[in-house]
Amino acid sequence: MTFAMAKLRLSHKVGAIGVVGVLGLMAVGANYFIGNAIERGHRATATVARAIGRLADATDIALLETRRAEKDFLLRSSEQYVTRHAETSRAVAAKLDDLARYAADFPEITGHAVVVRQRFDVYVRSFGQLVD
């Protein structure tokens, strides 16, 4: 190998070093662009996950408010708590539907949201029977 390099002119050796340098920079650039694309994908997934988390927190709070309206009705037997329960139940149902829609790329979360929505519908019907 050294014998073949000894026969090359200096300009060819410098050119070969330049080609190797350019190829190295191209490899670094390709690595950067690929890594950047992967990072953008992870950032998008993280943004969706944060939105799902915030929506899940809001749903939990709405569920607690619905339960509070139920307890207030049971303690005071006032129609205003039935109305408040109906309002918060609609909000919870909408949030659960949103949660299932936002989590479409996460089948496990979507499945849980659907099951919670079904059980929540049973709870709302049971409260309606209690009121009647």
Side-chain angles (χ1 to χ4, degrees):
M1 183 73 142
T2 58
F3 181 71
M5 287 295 279
K7 287 187 171 186
L8 292 176
R9 293 178 38 193
L10 182 60
S11 61
H12 291 134
K13 291 177 185 178
V14 171
I17 291 171
V19 169
V20 170
V22 168
L23 289 175
L25 286 176
M26 288 174 60
V28 168
N31 187 27
Y32 171 77
F33 286 117
I34 291 170
N36 197 16
I38 292 170
E39 183 180 349
R40 275 195 309 266
H42 291 312
R43 284 181 190 265
T45 301
T47 300
V48 170
R50 279 192 300 276
I52 290 170
R54 285 192 297 271
L55 186 57
D57 290 343
T59 304
D60 287 343
I61 292 169
L63 282 166
L64 290 170
E65 290 174 358
T66 302
R67 182 74 174 122
R68 177 182 287 167
E70 176 193 0
K71 287 181 178 182
D72 288 343
F73 172 75
L74 291 173
L75 290 171
R76 297 178 183 89
S77 298
S78 175
E79 192 66 31
Q80 77 181 26
Y81 299 114
V82 174
T83 304
R84 193 170 87 194
H85 187 275
E87 291 169 358
T88 56
S89 293
R90 282 191 295 275
V92 168
K95 288 179 190 311
L96 287 171
D97 291 340
D98 289 344
L99 188 60
R101 189 171 44 255
Y102 288 162
D105 292 338
F106 306 97
E108 185 175 328
I109 296 173
T110 303
H112 289 305
V114 168
V115 168
V116 170
R117 173 61 198 263
Q118 292 168 349
R119 292 179 183 172
F120 180 72
D121 290 341
V122 170
Y123 163 74
V124 170
R125 283 193 301 273
S126 297
F127 181 76
Q129 292 170 353
L130 176 72
V131 171
D132 293 339

